[in-house]
Amino acid sequence: MKIHQFTADEALASLHSSYNGLSKDEVEFRLDEYGPNRVEKVRCEPLILRFIKEFTHFFALILWLAAGLAFFAEAMQPGGGMATLGYAVLGVILINGLFSFWQQYRAECAISSLQKLLPYYVKVLRDGEVGLILAAGLVPGDVILLQEGDNVPADCRLLESFLLRVNNATVTGESRPQARDVEPSVEENLEHSRNTLLAGTSIVSGEGRAVVFATGMHTEFGKIAHLTQTAVPTVSPLQLEIVRLSRLIAVLALTLGVVFFFIGRGMGLSFWDNFIFAIGIIVANVPEGLLPTVTLSLSMATQRMAKRNALIRHMPSVEALGSATVICTDKTGTLTENRMAVCALYLGGKMFTPNEVQRQPQLAKTYRRFFEDALLCQNLKETVVAGKPQTLGDPMEIALVRMAKNCLGETVAYPKINEVPFDTDRKRLSTIHQTPKGLVLYSKGALEMLLPLCKQVQIGEELVALTAEIRQDFVKAQEQMANKGFRVMAFAWRKLEEERDGAAQEQDLILTGLVGLEDPPRAEVPEAIKRCRQAGIKVIMVTGDNPITATAIGRQIGQIQTDNPVVITGDQLRKLSETQLRLALNAQDIIFARVGADQKMRIVAALQKKKHVVAVTGDGVNDAPALKLADIGIAMGISGTDVAKEAADMILLDDNFASIIAAIEEGRAVYENIRKFLTYILTSNIPEIIPYLAFALLKIPLPLTIIQILAVDLGTDMLPALGLGAAKPEPGSMSRPPRPRNERLLNWRLLLYAYAFLGVMEAIVSMAAYFFVLHSGGWQWGEGLASHDPLYLQATTACLSAIIVTQIVNVFLCKTSGRSVFGARLFDNRIILWGIALEIILILGIDYTAWGNMVFGTRPIAPDVWLFILPFALAMLLLEELRKFATVSVKR
């Protein structure tokens, strides 16, 4: 037998304790044996190691190699400008590493105040004396005293209970407060036993005495935390793609370097000239700006999301959410407000909402006794917390009092003379009050318990006999409310001639009406669910609450649209094989109810095996393991527990489910922005490689030098490329389904578009400008030119200038990759506009200043060279528009 199946005396005996608690010597012995009552945090990766990792991942290693080769080439051939390239690449590594580390460190600091996992102090009985101790000092066998408003510090078995009700939402996901008593339980599962209190839950009403039987990591709270800590962190789709892209770029750059090395050898170049030539090819093909752009793109998205109250802890999570195909969401506190509210009233044979009653003052006046009952029949306590008045007690009673005050338009404070307390057998509460018209007994509770005690019912202004037909009407109204997931309470009253035993006077009552209460859905959730469907994202409710309530909420928010949704309880889930579960997940509408923490993890794992990218939302301790396992975990910032926040990748600071949709939109934009950036920077590789190829094969002076390539890759291209990476989401991005999991960041289509179309056009323009200057200066084919010859310097300047002009055009082509340039907003991205301005300033400085001429090996070019280049740039724009038009026509 388990401890919750014992009697109170047997439970104490099994723990070698007593009603007076443990002795101090025994406490010290047990504290040494069981350790302090706290959830041990898993050892975190040292800060210095996380810092180093930002400089040693695969793409960073490629940049280190590129810098090393540049310095080696400079050592072999001093004065070639390779050292400048090496220092520039090192700067990229340093800036990106520091920026990435700082972004994550700042997010960690933002939640560092959320580490308090258990309450600080607790009242404990030791040697028969009550004392106040730190919760960490509790040991198994300690007897503790609890009352409403207290947090439960350890797993306990009740010894005494007076009207005790507990909120288990953070651990089990149950939205309603649960009554607790001391009787032995026949329930097999500890979490649902009526005589146990679990660590991490809170007392909403009543008081009790309990014996501690589990502390720290041995509590249900601790076991869930352990699941969270031991869950293997997942790698985001973007991180996987960056690794793949890094390897692809490394192979491509090295392959081209080797190929051009052998081409140079075949053309008779010396070994060292050929080696430097090959290094130039390799470095030209490494997109040095990739890491800064990815980091900035993610950072800009996180900043935009922060303005929408979404805190991103791990930057790659932004893009991971954009790839999400399934959202597994908790119900209590995520889809709902995690507070009870009155949603329906049954008065005089008709259904009303509280708002309808407030608009009809006469109705509230007619049924005044009903509203007085809701207002007075309760055990709430008023207190002051942090200088603000606060009501402590059952959330259901708080909701009833709030509703009654709003409907009556006033408060009623008749003195309470006596009460007959609620218990699980009676399922009702009665209170006796001294009113201006004498003593009145007010009663509320389950309809099936009040109906036998009633003789009359109020219908309008009249009191009529409670006939079998009227009884049946009340039962039907109750069933109608229950089918909507409401908790139904009945209300009755009677006048008393004298004050006697209250229980004996619970007879001949007047039935006044019914109330339907629920934890209402958040107002913004239905629209958010609708947008998820439009975006091709499946929403699955995974809750610890009961299936009827879960189904009712699912219908209200639009998650369920079929007549017969699949509803699987925790008990049913335990009996399903892996294959059966994965087949069940194919259902259009599916809900999981009464599930435990380990079962939530199983559901997430099954979805991932079905190749879904899974986002999980939640706020309770019971959600934390699934949050950790998911591709992206989303915790609630206000109602969320600290364990859930620790496990999450993203925290919704306002608990607004709709913020998830904004985050998905930002995530999709990140992926598309990185593809635009890649297209932009890969395009310039072709006009940078073609001059080397022409130099080797056609025996012409080298049209573009290494330092000029550096001017493009790490100078003029950087800011426009970063602007593409930081662009806001495109219109219509949420009307498309998620990208396929196997879709690559860099695929053959993008490579062909960048290299074989845009890149070739830029190469034609740059080489044409190069030859235009040479022929204008009288150069003849086959004629050699010295590296310091003014004509040669002007020709390379023309080649460099043509690349930059066409890249200015290209940034707009990439920005509007799926739409016509003429129908898009071209000037809504300030970073791109500043980047273009900087490009123009830089090229003019490189071409027309003594400093630019000296550093980059250039000479001023005549205006007719610019006039020669511009028509080519315009032709590039028109050709791209023709391509887009042809593509759209084919799709039609």
Side-chain angles (χ1 to χ4, degrees):
M1 293 178 65
K2 299 179 181 178
I3 192 165
H4 61 283
Q5 296 170 327
F6 292 156
T7 64
D9 290 338
E10 289 171 341
L12 276 172
S14 69
L15 293 166
H16 300 281
S17 185
S18 71
Y19 283 94
N20 290 325
L22 301 171
S23 67
K24 293 181 180 179
D25 291 340
E26 183 65 20
V27 168
E28 291 180 6
F29 175 78
R30 295 191 184 191
L31 190 60
D32 183 62
E33 180 177 355
Y34 296 103
N37 176 40
R38 59 170 173 252
V39 174
E40 301 295 339
K41 293 190 64 178
V42 69
R43 182 177 295 179
C44 296
E45 192 173 55
L47 197 65
I48 186 65
L49 189 57
R50 281 190 284 167
F51 180 76
I52 292 172
K53 279 188 174 182
E54 296 296 337
F55 300 92
T56 55
H57 51 77
F58 191 79
F59 196 79
L61 294 177
I62 293 175
L63 294 181
W64 283 112
L65 178 62
L69 289 175
F71 287 124
F72 180 76
E74 179 69 20
M76 295 296 99
Q77 196 176 71
M82 297 300 286
T84 305
L85 175 60
Y87 286 121
V89 173
L90 289 179
V92 169
I93 297 170
L94 181 65
I95 292 171
N96 182 77
L98 290 173
F99 189 77
S100 297
F101 174 77
W102 172 248
Q103 184 69 23
Q104 294 200 25
Y105 179 72
R106 187 175 61 176
E108 292 295 325
C109 289
I111 62 165
S112 61
S113 61
L114 308 176
Q115 305 299 317
K116 301 171 186 176
L117 302 179
L118 291 173
Y120 273 138
Y121 292 98
V122 61
K123 291 178 183 177
V124 64
L125 195 63
R126 289 175 177 170
D127 288 327
E129 296 181 0
V130 177
L132 198 64
I133 68 165
L134 285 170
L138 283 178
V139 297
D142 262 329
V143 174
I144 61 174
L145 305 178
L146 295 166
Q147 60 186 19
E148 61 189 59
D150 287 346
N151 291 320
V152 181
D155 286 355
C156 312
R157 202 284 188 202
L158 278 170
L159 302 175
E160 296 175 1
S161 173
F162 180 72
L163 304 178
L164 194 70
R165 296 170 71 82
V166 62
N167 182 359
N168 281 340
T170 57
V171 175
T172 66
E174 296 167 304
S175 60
R176 297 170 179 169
Q178 305 296 311
R180 288 293 180 259
D181 56 44
V182 300
E183 297 303 316
S185 175
V186 295
E187 179 74 42
E188 185 65 26
N189 292 329
L190 181 72
E191 310 94 80
H192 301 298
S193 169
R194 294 180 58 86
N195 59 30
T196 56
L197 304 174
L198 302 179
T201 61
S202 58
I203 308 298
V204 296
S205 65
E207 56 188 42
R209 178 185 301 198
V211 60
V212 174
F213 63 83
T215 59
M217 296 301 287
H218 302 289
T219 63
E220 294 301 308
F221 185 103
K223 291 173 185 176
I224 294 173
H226 178 70
L227 284 175
T228 304
Q229 294 170 352
T230 54
V232 179
T234 56
V235 181
S236 79
L238 180 62
Q239 289 171 315
L240 292 173
E241 276 301 292
I242 293 297
V243 170
R244 176 184 172 275
L245 180 61
S246 301
R247 291 171 180 167
L248 184 62
I249 288 172
V251 171
L252 180 66
L254 291 173
T255 300
L256 287 174
V258 171
V259 168
F260 276 88
F261 178 82
F262 284 107
I263 290 175
R265 292 290 288 174
M267 300 301 296
L269 292 176
S270 68
F271 176 82
W272 285 115
D273 286 345
N274 196 28
F275 185 71
I276 300 302
F277 169 60
I279 288 177
I281 293 294
I282 291 172
V283 174
N285 276 278
V286 174
E288 293 87 356
L290 176 62
L291 285 184
T293 300
V294 170
T295 303
L296 181 69
S297 182
L298 292 171
S299 179
M300 293 290 286
T302 60
Q303 289 179 25
R304 288 195 296 269
M305 290 170 64
K307 293 178 181 178
R308 300 183 181 187
N309 292 310
L311 172 66
I312 299 297
R313 295 186 62 206
H314 306 122
M315 285 200 295
S317 302
V318 178
E319 192 279 330
L321 189 57
S323 308
T325 57
V326 174
I327 299 176
C328 290
T329 176
D330 183 35
K331 179 186 73 68
T332 307
T334 306
L335 298 175
T336 65
E337 298 180 5
N338 197 18
R339 66 173 182 86
M340 297 300 288
V342 175
C343 297
L345 303 172
Y346 182 71
L347 301 170
K350 297 180 182 179
M351 286 287 185
F352 299 93
T353 66
N355 288 337
E356 289 173 338
V357 175
Q358 289 179 49
R359 291 194 294 267
Q360 302 177 53
Q362 186 59 39
L363 187 63
K365 185 177 179 181
T366 300
Y367 288 93
R368 183 178 178 85
R369 289 294 190 189
F370 170 84
F371 293 106
E372 287 180 356
D373 198 341
L375 192 62
L376 297 170
C377 188
Q378 40 87 1
N379 283 301
L380 301 177
K381 291 184 179 179
E382 299 294 333
T383 185
V384 177
V385 178
K388 297 181 179 179
Q390 185 171 325
T391 304
L392 296 179
D394 190 330
M396 185 176 60
E397 291 189 339
I398 294 174
L400 289 171
V401 168
R402 185 189 309 117
M403 178 275 298
K405 286 181 179 179
N406 291 338
C407 290
L408 286 175
E410 61 176 311
T411 186
V412 178
Y414 300 150
K416 183 193 292 188
I417 305 301
N418 198 358
E419 78 170 59
V420 186
F422 175 93
D423 64 40
T424 54
D425 294 325
R426 290 164 33 83
K427 294 184 180 178
R428 64 181 181 273
L429 168 69
S430 296
T431 57
I432 300 173
H433 296 263
Q434 181 67 59
T435 74
K437 295 182 179 181
L439 292 175
V440 175
L441 179 143
Y442 295 101
S443 188
K444 71 178 180 186
L447 179 64
E448 65 269 22
M449 304 305 292
L450 276 183
L451 267 179
L453 305 177
C454 295
K455 289 292 182 66
Q456 292 179 295
V457 61
Q458 183 179 356
I459 304 293
E461 299 281 357
E462 298 181 358
L463 300 180
V464 300
L466 185 59
T467 64
E469 183 181 353
I470 295 177
R471 289 174 185 268
Q472 192 59 35
D473 289 341
F474 268 84
V475 171
K476 288 180 179 178
Q478 179 197 36
E479 291 175 351
Q480 183 181 344
M481 290 183 181
N483 289 335
K484 293 180 179 180
F486 297 166
R487 180 161 187 187
V488 184
M489 298 203 70
F491 292 80
W493 68 281
R494 65 162 292 187
K495 289 184 178 180
L496 300 179
E497 298 299 328
E498 57 180 318
E499 182 186 349
R500 291 185 297 157
D501 176 46
Q505 301 192 69
E506 287 182 322
Q507 55 186 338
D508 299 333
L509 302 181
I510 301 168
L511 187 62
T512 53
L514 302 177
V515 165
L517 301 102
E518 71 165 348
D519 179 9
R522 295 179 180 275
E524 67 279 354
V525 167
E527 179 61 25
I529 296 290
K530 181 180 177 181
R531 292 195 67 192
C532 282
R533 287 188 179 275
Q534 292 173 344
I537 301 167
K538 186 175 184 177
V539 179
I540 299 175
M541 189 189 300
V542 184
T543 178
D545 214 338
N546 72 72
I548 294 177
T549 303
T551 304
I553 293 294
R555 291 195 187 281
Q556 289 182 53
I557 63 176
Q559 185 232 339
I560 294 177
Q561 296 189 331
T562 57
D563 294 332
N564 298 302
V566 175
V567 181
I568 299 175
T569 65
D571 291 336
Q572 293 170 332
L573 182 57
R574 289 187 186 93
K575 299 173 184 177
L576 294 183
S577 67
E578 188 67 25
T579 300
Q580 289 172 317
L581 174 58
R582 289 166 70 172
L583 288 173
L585 287 167
N586 293 331
Q588 179 181 342
D589 295 331
I590 184 168
I591 286 176
F592 292 91
R594 290 290 191 198
V595 296
D598 58 328
Q599 292 178 317
K600 291 188 179 186
M601 293 178 69
R602 185 184 172 197
I603 294 166
V604 172
L607 286 166
Q608 289 173 329
K609 288 176 182 176
K610 289 172 68 67
K611 307 302 181 184
H612 284 292
V613 177
V614 185
V616 174
T617 74
D619 62 349
V621 177
N622 58 322
D623 300 316
L627 291 173
K628 189 71 173 286
L629 180 65
D631 294 289
I632 176 167
I634 308 166
M636 302 296 118
I638 298 173
S639 61
T641 60
D642 301 323
V643 173
K645 293 171 186 174
E646 280 294 305
D649 301 294
M650 184 174 88
I651 298 173
L652 299 181
L653 300 178
D654 60 351
D655 286 11
N656 192 334
F657 183 83
S659 298
I660 298 172
I661 307 305
I664 291 174
E665 190 174 24
E666 293 290 352
R668 291 187 176 187
V670 166
Y671 191 84
E672 290 302 316
N673 289 345
I674 294 173
R675 296 193 80 172
K676 292 175 183 179
F677 156 80
L678 281 174
T679 304
Y680 180 74
I681 61 170
L682 291 176
T683 296
S684 64
N685 283 356
I686 298 302
E688 290 171 356
I689 291 173
I690 291 297
Y692 279 87
L693 192 60
F695 165 70
L697 298 180
L698 303 180
K699 299 293 185 179
I700 62 172
L702 183 63
L704 196 68
T705 64
I706 290 288
I707 195 66
Q708 289 169 348
I709 290 176
L710 178 62
V712 175
D713 289 352
L714 295 179
T716 58
D717 269 6
M718 282 298 288
L719 196 55
L722 293 174
L724 287 173
K728 295 180 181 179
E730 288 281 338
S733 63
M734 290 301 290
S735 60
R736 300 190 298 268
R739 65 179 178 84
R741 193 180 182 103
N742 59 355
E743 181 177 310
R744 300 303 183 189
L745 195 59
L746 181 63
N747 53 27
W748 286 109
R749 183 178 179 183
L750 189 150
L751 280 172
L752 287 173
Y753 177 55
Y755 281 171
F757 185 69
L758 296 176
V760 167
M761 286 193 290
E762 287 196 7
I764 290 172
V765 177
S766 59
M767 292 304 294
Y770 175 74
F771 284 117
F772 174 78
V773 171
L774 286 182
H775 285 290
S776 297
W779 176 82
Q780 298 295 321
W781 194 274
E783 180 182 349
L785 290 174
S787 60
H788 55 274
D789 188 304
L791 179 60
Y792 171 70
L793 295 176
Q794 284 184 323
T796 59
T797 303
C799 182
L800 172 63
S801 301
I803 292 174
I804 291 173
V805 169
T806 51
Q807 280 291 83
I808 291 175
V809 174
N810 188 31
V811 75
F812 290 109
L813 303 184
C814 293
K815 181 180 184 294
T816 59
S817 58
R819 298 174 294 150
S820 170
V821 170
F822 302 108
R825 294 175 297 175
L826 298 180
F827 307 110
D828 61 341
N829 189 320
R830 292 184 179 181
I831 299 180
I832 289 179
L833 297 179
W834 280 109
I836 291 172
L838 181 62
E839 276 189 297
I840 295 171
I841 292 171
L842 283 175
I843 191 57
L844 292 177
I846 289 170
D847 288 2
Y848 296 105
T849 66
W851 175 85
N853 294 166
M854 178 184 68
V855 173
F856 295 97
T858 55
R859 283 292 183 274
I861 53 177
D864 62 334
V865 178
W866 294 106
L867 294 175
F868 177 83
I869 293 171
L870 289 176
F872 280 96
L874 179 61
M876 181 178 175
L877 173 62
L878 294 176
L879 284 172
E880 170 63 0
E881 286 296 304
L882 287 174
R883 184 198 68 80
K884 290 178 182 176
F885 177 77
T887 302
V888 172
S889 299
V890 170
K891 287 182 178 179
R892 288 176 180 172

